[in-house]
Amino acid sequence: AVCSMGNSTSRLYSVLAKTLSSGAVSQHQNCLEQLDSAQLDPIDPKDLLEECQIVLQKRPPRFQRNFVNLKKNTASNHRPIRVMQWNILAQALGEGKDNFVQCPMEALKWEERKCLILEEILAYKPDILCLQEVDHYFDTFEPLLSRLGYQCTFFPKPWSPCLDVERNNGPDGCALFFLKERFELVSSANIRLTAMKLKTNQVAIAQTLKCHETGRLFCIAVTHLKARTGWERFRSAQGCDLLQNLKNITQGAKIPLIVCGDFNAEPTEEVYREFSNSSLNLNSAYKLLSPDGQSEPPYTTWKIRPSGECRHTLDYIWYSQHALNVNSALGLLTEEQIGPNRLPSFNYPSDHLSLVCDFSFNQDPDRLL
């Protein structure tokens, strides 16, 4: 059943309503073949946000999060590039496999949770959006975000666990979106990560973009590494493979790089050290929120499962520190905001927090290599 949208007769009603009920992924792909999103009218983001808020009117209001200004005294005459990283929680996993014992099933209804996800994206207006655990790409995110001006790319996992869930919506995977008015796609690579010379179930997307305003090239990548304790060496091997691919794509760091991902790894893990010590000269943007600029946040995911409470730092935005500056970063939710039942909840749609950073280009990147 489609949620009541109040008295609104907005032209968006049919667009949003079509995405509210889930079915087989083949149905969505057939729908896409019949309806090319690029040929549809653009959507005003304010109108879409209003439609989402009508659907969510019985839920608590969005949490307020503030950006922390990190800008040094470096002159920049171009608009910053806002990048958003988020594991949005696959719908099939949230309802069928993840066992969030303190989260009511009512809070996980796709009809409303989808609108919470869109509301978060619309609130922060990213120029580039990197998502993991996307299993509603074809029926929700591609149709809507393409009409908001984004170019959209999706790369599903070869053996997605979503497919084991009854009434699933197809495989989950990584998705990358960028605003066409700001960037031009130069090259794109879908990468199936290897470990110990074996192809794995984890993937990445890496795209080289040209900034219209500055003419500068940069590479943006999104990934989601293997989950669970006991797989540390496996994640390390996947990270090495991804770094090697990115070295080739960026010509050994000549092209600035931003890597977003759910690494499923705490900062104590080997894969984190590999990224920190890479010849690509990467730094983790969210370290800059700490007083010394050297410590990751205390958590980026916080949930309660039958085995107990899980509070970890697993999500990162890495960047070429010789070529890019972090102007600001979005502060995390506090423990008080998250609440005793943790995530997801009626307030927040995922078990992972979104990370958002504003970047600018250094004027003389080669000098710092």
Side-chain angles (χ1 to χ4, degrees), residues 88-101:
I88 61 171
L89 173 60
Q91 184 64 21
L93 301 183
E95 288 185 311
K97 282 198 151 197
D98 277 341
N99 295 318
F100 300 119
V101 293

Side-chain angles (χ1 to χ4, degrees), residues 67-74 76 78 80-83 257-259 281-290 293 316-331 355-363 368:
F67 280 90
V68 178
N69 184 15
L70 301 167
K71 195 169 184 179
K72 299 171 185 173
N73 295 323
T74 53
S76 176
H78 70 272
I81 296 169
R82 177 161 291 181
V83 176
L257 173 65
I258 300 170
V259 185
N281 196 22
L282 299 172
N283 192 22
S284 175
Y286 264 72
K287 280 167 52 176
L288 302 179
L289 288 181
S290 65
Y316 307 96
I317 300 179
W318 298 91
Y319 70 101
S320 300
Q321 56 188 334
H322 63 283
L324 296 165
N325 295 310
V326 184
N327 295 0
S328 61
L330 183 65
L355 308 181
V356 186
C357 290
D358 290 336
F359 290 96
S360 60
F361 291 106
N362 276 341
Q363 300 306 305
L368 299 173

Side-chain angles (χ1 to χ4, degrees), residues 195-196 230-239 269-270 274:
M196 297 87 170
W231 292 84
E232 291 81 5
R233 286 185 62 200
F234 197 82
R235 281 190 287 274
S236 174
Q238 288 183 326
E269 273 199 34
E270 182 63 31
E274 285 161 359

